[in-house]
Amino acid sequence: MAAPDTLYLKIDQNVVVDSCQVHLQDIASMECTNEAVLRQLKQKKIHTFQEQDTTKQKKIRIQVFSVLNIIQQIHEDYPDLEVQNIGESDFIIECKAGIVENKVLDIAKTVVLCVVIFFGAAFTIMTFNNDVGVGEVFTQLYEQVTGSKSDGVTEIEIFYAIGMPIGITIFYNHIGKKKVTHDPTPIQVEMRKYEQDVDTTFIENASREGKSIDVV
């Protein structure tokens, strides 16, 4: 007796689709030795988001799924197929069909955010320097090293002013659209952590409220 075919299924925690008709190939990476089965499953429709009323504000639609529901739907067509899940056990599908991005508004938000961050960071640096008395430290250090009285603007202050932006640039690993190194920037790392926390919260809330699509 021949061994049953095996399907390897991998789904990320958060999947974005651009159509209300969600097929398995839209959300999952799959591998199977049976090419015919693989082709059929890629075209299998697993969920349909309701069309939005054009008179209402269009928002991103979100649905939480259990991978067991996906496996159940696969077994409806191929009951003898062995499914190996190597991805997430629970995941989110975000439907952005019909969503029109307002580029002008997005640019305006970005500009406002950059201005707030710039002046906020400048205020923080100045406050820190005043709190710890950096100016006094530089004055005392200059007088001890050179034996001359500081006039307030010396080599120390100049190199400190130059080194501050260089250090910030190296730390954030970002100059315009280019990176200093290929490593992800600290902002990118924190954004990924934030996205994971948001996804986990959505999944847990949907599970507690019974809104997650699971096996029956």
Side-chain angles (χ1 to χ4, degrees), residues 54-88:
T54 55
T55 62
K56 297 180 180 179
Q57 184 179 5
K58 296 182 178 180
K59 297 181 179 179
I60 298 175
R61 286 152 288 178
I62 297 176
Q63 181 61 60
V64 178
F65 274 83
S66 168
V67 74
L68 292 178
N69 177 267
I70 305 301
I71 295 175
Q72 183 183 54
Q73 294 189 54
I74 293 174
H75 282 160
E76 291 175 357
D77 297 339
Y78 301 96
D80 297 329
L81 182 65
E82 181 180 347
V83 182
Q84 294 285 344
N85 177 42
I86 58 175
E88 298 289 337

Side-chain angles (χ1 to χ4, degrees), residues 170-174 183-192:
I170 294 175
F171 174 78
Y172 283 103
N173 189 25
H174 200 273
D183 297 332
T185 67
I187 294 178
Q188 289 176 325
V189 173
E190 292 302 321
M191 287 300 298
R192 296 300 173 267

Side-chain angles (χ1 to χ4, degrees), residues 15-72:
V15 184
V16 179
V17 297
D18 297 322
S19 173
C20 294
Q21 307 295 327
V22 183
H23 299 84
L24 194 53
Q25 66 178 355
D26 298 328
I27 66 168
S29 299
M30 296 175 289
E31 175 59 30
C32 183
T33 53
N34 191 322
E35 292 294 334
V37 171
L38 187 61
R39 285 196 300 269
Q40 292 294 325
L41 287 178
K42 285 184 177 181
Q43 302 301 322
K44 181 176 178 58
K45 185 170 67 176
I46 62 167
H47 186 69
T48 301
F49 285 95
Q50 293 183 353
E51 295 286 350
Q52 291 183 329
D53 187 350
T54 55
T55 62
K56 297 180 180 179
Q57 184 179 5
K58 296 182 178 180
K59 297 181 179 179
I60 298 175
R61 286 152 288 178
I62 297 176
Q63 181 61 60
V64 178
F65 274 83
S66 168
V67 74
L68 292 178
N69 177 267
I70 305 301
I71 295 175
Q72 183 183 54

